Amino acid sequence: MIHAAELIRRKRDGERLSSDELSELVLAYARGEVPDYQMAAFCMAVYFRGLNGEETFALTDAMIRSGETIELGTALGRKVVDKHSTGGVGDKTSLAVGPIVAACGVPFGKMSGRGLGHTGGTLDKLESIPGFRVELTTDEFLQQVREIGLAIIGQSANLVPADKLLYGLRDVTATVDNVSLIAASIMSKKIAAGADAIVLDVKVGDGAFMKTIEDARELAQTMLELGRQAGREVVCVLTDMDQPLGHAVGNALEIRETIATLRNDGPHDFTELVLSASAHLLALSDLGIDEEEGRTRAATAVQDGTAFAMYERWIAAQGGDPAEAALPAAPVVREVFAPLAGYVRTIGAIDVGMAALRLGAGRQTKDDTIDHAVGIRCLKKRGDAVTAREILAEVHARDDESAQQAESEVLAAYELGDEAPPVQPIVLETIS
């Protein structure tokens, strides 16, 4: 019988746990034999004391073994690629990458999660679409990827159930941003879902869990090693999250921006990241092309309309209405004006993310209900010139009181100056 309190004490005191001990703890938690309060204490001990490479792999392996696995490549008869982001403010990349990759002839089957803290979740965004089903059976998932070429669904209850439980627990116990816990969570899902090759988007900066490039490299290397131990190909791209990605932050607003991007009318930074991620995925696929050719094909799919056509087929296949007009809209829209002329030097990504969360776009507790209509649009980005009283952003809110509060928070997130800041690329590094 597992003695959870003893393992918590030992990890709290900096001791190393054996693979068997970690496996027993994780599997007992998945069976309901270890309560949330003890697992929360364990996560906090790990947050402060960390896990070494062996412990991290043991945690990952135990989470995989807590449920079923899917042999996606075998079922499709194709090499399967997958993409995951560590989460950021306004990060809706998978929603655009999936249709592009599928339009280029590579099946894209992905299991996604919900929001963590100030970062939005892919499933929460998709549930903005009336009728869209995020819960498919494994057979329905495989059939849709085979027939349509694209499916994004919620994590099956039978796939890595230990991670699903931990994912929600970490969100409300301030234990999200730990390298070992993040790496194990991401890689357990990717490995269990059957991906042969994985592109990982590791966010860096104010709005990310990894605040520095050094921390991001550590996370990337940890996930690369977990992938190698499991026999997978992994490429990590380190990307800028010192400001919100694109303009939109909030669920339905981000779906609208995805549609615009697939129609070749998206924000520059978001479009660049989408094309870069698509190029990596196509290069890792069984098409036998390199990254340069992958980018060319991805850009062509956007320009000739095939990527947007794939988006419409995908949404309809999962029961959703792909029309932009069907998306919910907030009843109150308040403009945020620049107090003076100058250049946007910084936008506090986490400040914008928290303002959107307090509007109702995210969860502050495990059981909160999300308001899909609300959010923020950052119309001016870092380096943009502004005149006095020019619109910096829009707040989309449920009522005047929450709109006014968010307006103050968004204005405080903007720093204006007399000179434009240096240009920062969206992709900072690639590690493979």
Side-chain angles (χ1 to χ4, degrees), residues 88-104:
V89 179
D91 183 12
K92 71 290 290 181
T93 312
S94 294
L95 302 176
V97 167
I100 292 171
V101 170
C104 292

Side-chain angles (χ1 to χ4, degrees), residues 272-330:
E272 173 60 28
L273 180 54
V274 165
L275 292 178
S276 176
S278 298
H280 281 297
L281 286 165
L282 294 174
L284 286 171
S285 76
D286 55 12
L287 293 182
I289 62 176
D290 61 16
E291 187 183 340
E292 183 178 357
E293 175 63 19
R295 186 182 178 98
T296 298
R297 293 193 189 189
T300 299
V302 172
Q303 291 160 7
D304 66 15
T306 55
F308 181 65
M310 176 59 72
Y311 169 84
E312 293 186 305
R313 288 185 66 202
W314 160 45
I315 299 302
Q318 286 184 234
D321 185 342
E324 185 175 352
L327 293 167

